[in-house]
């Protein structure tokens, strides 16, 4: 199949909406990562999303809508808690999980009776979704387990030739996927960490829990290895630059070609051939994380990601680093 990449505008949105309402797939930008969209009402079409990504079919998809007035398209039971969080954080990088509406195809939710609802912050994404007049089920537009795509070119690398159209709106500003929050009970439970933290949510509704790794898996996706580069990878949590240099030397002695990812200033503090600066702030790190993994894997055999922030300051980032390294954080 020929895959077109078109700048997102009125004309390309019209074309994309036609593809969606005839049961096709379109990749589109959001502020977090690029999504692989399909109508949430068309079960057969949804099955193709799982095929294109190579995604296990017990991992449900999030439903995207264009505005807060459209939640009824996805669920008849949007709880007060869900509405409160949407009013505070949406449009934005948050997904609320509530009871599923009947029109949503069972393939979307992998048979669960719950559904995730998200309203992207990126205006062009909302324009596209609204033009389809049906909720858009969309996972990240990468091959399953690979780092998520934050630009159109990366979407093409992974699934070019398998879908007809990629809508292009440049690079994603957030860079990691939305915070997924179970809103069915009295207290919100964060199932997948993101830019919006548990603390941010607690400030609005008084309380918030982070689903622990050992608790019952309620967000099916969290049990899979994810976001992993093709080469080996490990991470260091708030080390000194001397500790980083020692770790690089150790790995090099083991025959690895090491690529260090870290705060921009670290590059000049340690002498290493292969260094990729992720920026200065937590936001910078999240924005450049996935692209940098994809770049680093073409250079080295071992990625060493140096995180200069505490876990509470960078909940979403640590979650992705944990997943990409399979827990190898020292
Ligand atoms: O930022 C994002 O959320 C991006 C963009 C495209 O919107 N989407 C995304 O989708 O990251 P995906 O499919 O890669 O990840 C969805 C996550 C998975 O961990 C999945 O298990 C969880 O959300 N999820 C979806 N529906 C759920 C539900 N009903 N209950 C619990 N978890 C759910
Ligand atoms: Mg994904």
């Amino acid at each position: 199949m020929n895959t077109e990449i078109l700048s997102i505008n009125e004309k390309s949105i019209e074309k994309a909406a036609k593809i969606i309402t005839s049961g096709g797939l379109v990749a589109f930008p959001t502020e977090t990562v690029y999504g692989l969209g399909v109508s949430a009402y068309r079960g057969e079409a949804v099955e193709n999303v799982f095929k294109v990504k190579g995604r296990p079919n017990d991992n449900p998809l999030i439903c995207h809508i264009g505005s807060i007035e459209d939640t009824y398209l996805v669920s008849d039971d949007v709880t007060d808690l869900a509405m409160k969080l949407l009013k505070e954080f949406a449009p934005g990088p948050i997904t609320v999980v509530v009871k599923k509406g009947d029109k949503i195809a069972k393939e979307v939710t992998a048979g669960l009776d719950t559904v995730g609802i998200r309203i992207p912050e990126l205006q062009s994404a909302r324009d596209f979704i609204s033009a389809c007049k049906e909720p858009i089920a969309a996972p990240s537009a990468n091959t399953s387990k690979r780092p998520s795509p934050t630009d159109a070119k990366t979407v093409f690398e992974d699934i070019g030739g398998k879908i007809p159209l990629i809508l292009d709106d440049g690079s994603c500003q957030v860079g990691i996927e939305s915070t997924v929050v179970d809103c069915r009970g009295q207290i919100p439970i964060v199932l997948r960490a993101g830019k919006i933290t548990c603390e941010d949510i607690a400030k609005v509704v008084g309380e918030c829990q982070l689903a622990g790794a050992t608790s019952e898996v309620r967000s099916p996706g969290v049990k899979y290895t994810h976001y992993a580069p093709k080469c080996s990878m490990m991470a260091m949590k708030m080390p000194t630059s001397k500790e980083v240099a020692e770790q690089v030397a150790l790995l090099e002695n083991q025959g690895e070609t090491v690529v260090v990812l870290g705060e921009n200033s670290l590059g000049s503090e340690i002498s290493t051939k292969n260094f990729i600066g992720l920026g200065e702030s937590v936001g910078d790190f999240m924005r450049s994380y996935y692209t940098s993994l994809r770049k680093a894997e073409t250079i080295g055999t071992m990625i060493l990601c140096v995180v200069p922030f505490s876990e509470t300051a960078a909940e979403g980032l640590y979650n992705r680093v944990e997943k990409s390294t399979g827990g190898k954080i020292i």
Side-chain angles (χ1 to χ4, degrees):
M1 186 186 293
N2 180 40
T3 303
E4 262 192 299
I5 302 182
L6 297 177
S7 282
I8 193 161
N9 55 38
E10 224 172 292
K11 206 165 146 226
S12 60
I13 284 178
E14 198 183 313
K15 185 165 189 173
K18 276 197 188 126
I19 295 174
I20 293 287
T21 49
S22 52
L25 274 48
V26 174
F28 66 101
T30 81
E31 75 282 12
T32 58
V33 301
Y34 274 67
L36 176 56
V38 68
S39 165
Y41 290 164
R42 298 163 196 261
E44 256 178 60
V46 175
E47 280 181 355
N48 287 331
V49 168
F50 287 85
K51 279 188 205 140
V52 165
K53 277 183 63 85
R55 179 181 175 107
N57 57 12
D58 65 346
N59 191 6
L61 309 182
I62 292 168
C63 289
H64 299 70
I65 52 174
S67 77
I68 201 160
E69 285 76 38
D70 285 349
T71 55
Y72 75 95
L73 296 172
V74 181
S75 170
D76 310 314
D77 196 3
V78 180
T79 56
D80 290 346
L81 176 59
M83 204 38 103
K84 215 168 177 177
L85 293 188
L86 287 177
K87 283 197 175 133
E88 180 69 24
F89 297 110
I94 192 160
T95 296
V96 295
V97 172
V98 294
K99 209 159 162 283
K100 168 186 173 299
D102 292 339
K103 274 161 75 182
I104 300 295
K106 63 180 190 315
E107 290 82 359
V108 170
T109 60
L112 296 179
D113 63 354
T114 59
V115 66
I117 307 178
R118 165 157 144 72
I119 309 166
E121 188 169 6
L122 191 71
Q123 179 69 52
S124 65
R126 279 183 279 134
D127 291 345
F128 157 64
I129 296 159
S130 299
C132 296
K133 299 195 168 63
E134 292 174 16
I136 299 298
S140 48
N142 52 297
T143 302
S144 195
K145 300 197 165 67
R146 293 277 293 146
S148 299
T150 54
D151 56 33
K153 181 177 128 281
T154 309
V155 175
F156 189 86
E157 264 170 37
D158 269 23
I159 59 171
K162 296 181 177 173
I163 58 169
L165 178 59
I166 301 170
L167 295 172
D168 186 353
D169 197 3
S171 296
C172 302
Q173 286 307 301
V174 174
I176 66 166
E177 303 83 349
S178 63
T179 307
V180 179
V181 193
D182 187 343
C183 292
R184 291 172 301 156
Q186 293 300 315
I187 300 167
I189 304 170
V190 172
L191 303 176
R192 179 177 70 182
K195 183 187 173 195
I196 295 169
T197 63
C198 216
E199 200 181 316
D200 294 334
I201 294 169
K203 270 189 202 141
V204 177
V205 292
E207 222 177 319
C208 183
Q209 291 171 5
L210 194 54
T214 54
S215 69
E216 178 201 353
V217 178
R218 292 218 263 170
S219 196
V222 302
K223 71 177 184 238
Y224 295 108
T225 318
H226 263 324
Y227 325 122
K230 285 176 179 158
C231 64
S232 306
M233 178 169 175
M234 64 174 294
M236 297 179 86
K237 179 176 160 183
M238 299 168 79
T240 61
S241 42
K242 184 165 169 275
E243 286 165 338
V244 177
E246 283 167 4
Q247 186 61 33
V248 171
L250 187 74
L251 292 166
E252 283 177 348
N253 278 338
Q254 292 167 1
E256 302 282 8
T257 304
V258 183
V259 186
V260 179
L261 269 51
E263 203 172 0
N264 289 347
S265 57
L266 181 67
S268 53
E269 286 163 28
I270 56 166
S271 63
T272 175
K273 273 201 305 289
N274 307 308
F275 178 80
I276 298 175
L278 296 181
E280 319 275 343
S281 62
V282 177
D284 292 343
F285 270 57
M286 292 191 292
R287 196 174 309 116
S288 54
Y289 183 67
Y290 288 137
T291 338
S292 302
L293 290 188
R294 285 182 183 251
K295 188 172 164 199
E297 71 184 8
T298 65
I299 305 171
T301 60
M302 168 62 83
I303 296 173
L304 177 62
C305 182
V306 180
V307 188
F309 317 109
S310 72
E311 280 189 59
T312 37
E315 202 169 278
L317 178 68
Y318 269 99
N319 170 279
R320 301 316 186 271
V321 172
E322 179 99 33
K323 293 279 174 188
S324 313
T325 60
K328 274 180 269 162
I329 306 181
I330 57 172

